[in-house]
Amino acid sequence: MYKVSMTIPAALRRAAERWPGETAIVENGAHTTWSELGDRATAIARALIGSGVRPGDRVGLWAPNSADWIAISMGVYAAGAILAPVNTRFTGAEAARVLRTAGARFLFTVDDFLGADYSRALEVDPELLGSLDVVVITRLEQFLGRGAGVDHTPAEAALTADDPSDVIFTSGTTGRPKGALLTHGSSTRTYEAWSDAVGLRHGDRYLVVYPFFHCAGLKSAVLACVLRGATIVPCPVFAVDTVMRLVRDERITMLPGPPSLYQSLLAADLSGYDRSSLRLAVTGAAAVPVELVRRMRDELGFASVVTAYGLTETTGTVTACRHDDPIEVVAHTSGRPIPGMEVRIVDTAGAPVPVGAPGEVLARGFAVMRGYYGDADATSAAIDADGWLRTGDIGVLDAAGNLRITDRIKDMFIVGGFNAYPAEIENVLLEHPGIAAAAVVGTPDERLGEVGYAFVVPRAGADPGDVLGWCRGRMANYKVPRYLRIVDALPLNRMGKVEKIELRRRARGE
């Protein structure tokens, strides 16, 4: 069904032809139509080519979510270049390392975001900075003059679905960031299938809190909206009040995010905000607690909550629930593989395990990356000769082929010989009426090897009381955390994932 794929510029051109006068982007009350976005991307492509950028060159983009970010990314693709987004949380040294790894020769950036001047931050690497053509986005109009008299159509026409589109770097929470090389065809094919699965519609109004530098923001938001004709509402920084004002004022219908986003909303007083427009929520990026799905429907008012699973290395998606799946499937699994993708569960020796048994999740199919850019050793370690990608996640397949992610391999800890999965324990903690968010890590113990340490955020105005005593009646003794700390908030990275490394450091320090 999704075997025919197209380039990303072709998808934007199709959107501009189908819905020329409809709103593509809303930012601070300003509306950009699909036709205007197409024209803007063309102007940027011409200026890039006029600046010496050639097909296959890598172009860095280090900036927060904005309408300009979208136009620039589309212009990079139309010039036949490869987009290399940079994490907005990175220091200058980290950004320089990513840009060097990608071999970027061009960079779009900002000089003022949350008090940071990104171009100045790159002065830590004078050699790199001296080799980069840097354009500050606030001076984009001046840059467009470089495209005078330039024809970009030969570069765009030469593109095929098999050509690389992006080199997107992993979050780096488990080590040195590596750049996954993705293609135009894998991107458009994946998000045609994803949009059908989750129920994204033409005319939806899509609030994008996910950062554009990651697949969740760039692919399942921006690209999916291009493919479906949904309006993009960028949000550069998450704050409950900001998000809820946009939901109210822009009549948002689609609000995806990691579990932590919805937990933050549920912990806040939303009585002053009209959220009746909300229709669809898609979540993932971590194991999703069952209780959270129920509360998203019952308390936030989403008509449909869908869970999905994927990695940067799989163009962001492997499996997804369908928007008409029963609540039991959505609440307990991440759905089935999208068409063209396969999943298998294996033990530590690489042998398949029975249905219902846990093991490492392997994925294979068109959405798997070409490899890690410039790192053949890391690529061969991640993808075997038969094309199976090792995800590093622990999961279970049910008889219907639905995948349930139980944890990251690195997050599992062993208590006196028993495997303990933090996500399972967190699910139980979140059923407590006084708890808004929870995270569990393993910490060393002389007798048992490791024991659980829970960090808990209480609901507004609630006293959780004896949480550990409450846990003992609901889970095996080895799963009950040995230690518990009440905190105001959990540390999160830019993708909204809990920083387990930081929590392990805190646990061991105490």
Side-chain angles (χ1 to χ4, degrees), residues 193-194 197-198 210 257-259 281-290 293 305-311 314 316-323 325-339 341-343 345 361 391 393-408 423 427:
W194 181 91
V198 305
Y210 275 129
V282 181
T283 191
V288 180
V290 173
V293 175
V305 178
V306 180
T307 46
Y309 165 73
L311 306 85
T314 62
T317 299
V318 176
T319 68
C321 288
R322 278 45 175 181
H323 60 91
D325 274 345
I327 182 63
E328 294 79 11
V329 172
V330 173
H332 291 89
T333 80
S334 296
R336 301 166 293 291
I338 60 172
M341 291 297 292
E342 301 174 81
V343 168
I345 310 295
V361 179
T391 69
D393 288 314
I394 299 171
V396 175
L397 281 174
D398 67 18
N402 293 298
L403 176 66
R404 177 167 58 91
I405 298 296
T406 58
D407 239 309
R408 290 289 293 171
N427 269 336

Side-chain angles (χ1 to χ4, degrees), residues 170-176 178 214 284-288 309-314 318 334 346 348 358-363 369 372 381-382 389-396 403-414 419-427 440-442 450 493 497-501 504:
T170 56
S171 63
T173 55
T174 59
R176 176 177 56 87
K178 299 183 290 293
H214 191 274
V288 180
Y309 165 73
L311 306 85
T312 303
E313 291 88 343
T314 62
V318 176
S334 296
V346 300
T348 54
E360 183 176 9
V361 179
L362 305 187
M369 65 177 178
Y372 292 117
L389 171 75
R390 297 189 60 182
T391 69
D393 288 314
I394 299 171
V396 175
L403 176 66
R404 177 167 58 91
I405 298 296
T406 58
D407 239 309
R408 290 289 293 171
I409 287 175
K410 66 180 179 62
D411 285 344
M412 184 191 77
F413 57 95
I414 301 175
N419 292 347
Y421 299 102
E424 179 185 4
I425 302 168
E426 291 159 5
N427 269 336
V440 175
V441 295
E450 289 180 291
N493 67 13
K497 295 181 183 180
V498 175
E499 293 275 20
K500 290 287 181 88
I501 291 175
R504 290 189 194 97

Side-chain angles (χ1 to χ4, degrees), residues 227-494:
L227 293 167
R228 281 293 184 269
T231 298
I232 308 165
V233 183
C235 182
V237 179
F238 172 76
V240 170
D241 288 346
T242 301
V243 165
M244 293 313 301
R245 278 198 301 271
L246 286 169
V247 167
R248 177 193 64 201
D249 297 345
E250 296 298 339
R251 302 298 296 163
I252 298 299
T253 61
M254 167 67 150
L255 176 57
S260 58
L261 181 147
Y262 304 108
Q263 288 165 342
S264 295
L265 297 180
L266 287 164
D269 178 5
L270 304 182
S271 57
Y273 297 104
D274 179 3
R275 50 189 186 274
S276 60
S277 61
L278 290 175
R279 180 181 69 81
L280 176 60
V282 181
T283 191
V288 180
V290 173
E291 183 64 15
L292 177 61
V293 175
R294 293 196 186 101
R295 294 187 66 202
M296 287 167 65
R297 288 190 169 210
D298 297 344
E299 298 177 36
L300 295 179
F302 287 103
S304 180
V305 178
V306 180
T307 46
Y309 165 73
L311 306 85
T312 303
E313 291 88 343
T314 62
T315 319
T317 299
V318 176
T319 68
C321 288
R322 278 45 175 181
H323 60 91
D324 54 357
D325 274 345
I327 182 63
E328 294 79 11
V329 172
V330 173
H332 291 89
T333 80
S334 296
R336 301 166 293 291
I338 60 172
M341 291 297 292
E342 301 174 81
V343 168
R344 68 191 303 187
I345 310 295
V346 300
D347 60 21
T348 54
V353 301
V355 169
E360 183 176 9
V361 179
L362 305 187
R364 184 171 69 176
F366 73 92
V368 173
M369 65 177 178
R370 286 277 180 85
Y372 292 117
Y373 187 83
D375 197 335
D377 290 341
T379 300
S380 61
I383 305 173
D384 69 18
D386 294 322
W388 289 102
L389 171 75
R390 297 189 60 182
T391 69
D393 288 314
I394 299 171
V396 175
L397 281 174
D398 67 18
N402 293 298
L403 176 66
R404 177 167 58 91
I405 298 296
T406 58
D407 239 309
R408 290 289 293 171
I409 287 175
K410 66 180 179 62
D411 285 344
M412 184 191 77
F413 57 95
I414 301 175
V415 183
F418 293 96
N419 292 347
Y421 299 102
E424 179 185 4
I425 302 168
E426 291 159 5
N427 269 336
V428 176
L429 286 168
L430 287 169
E431 292 173 1
H432 190 291
I435 293 176
V440 175
V441 295
T443 195
D445 180 80
E446 288 186 7
R447 186 173 68 88
L448 296 173
E450 289 180 291
V451 292
Y453 195 122
F455 294 82
V456 167
V457 179
R459 292 194 191 185
D463 178 6
D466 182 10
V467 175
L468 297 183
W470 185 86
C471 287
R472 290 186 188 101
R474 290 166 172 80
M475 64 180 85
N477 188 53
Y478 72 89
K479 299 178 185 178
V480 176
R482 174 72 61 84
Y483 306 102
L484 181 137
R485 181 179 174 188
I486 303 294
V487 295
D488 293 331
L490 299 174
L492 306 175
N493 67 13
R494 182 66 178 87

Side-chain angles (χ1 to χ4, degrees), residues 12 24-25 32-42 67 70-71 74:
L12 179 59
I25 308 168
T32 301
T33 67
W34 287 110
S35 178
E36 290 168 341
L37 177 59
D39 290 344
R40 187 75 164 173
T42 293
I70 297 168
M74 294 297 156

Side-chain angles (χ1 to χ4, degrees), residues 42 46 49 78 150-159:
T42 293
R46 289 172 176 165
I49 294 169
V150 174
D151 182 8
H152 84 292
T153 53
E156 183 178 332
L159 277 177

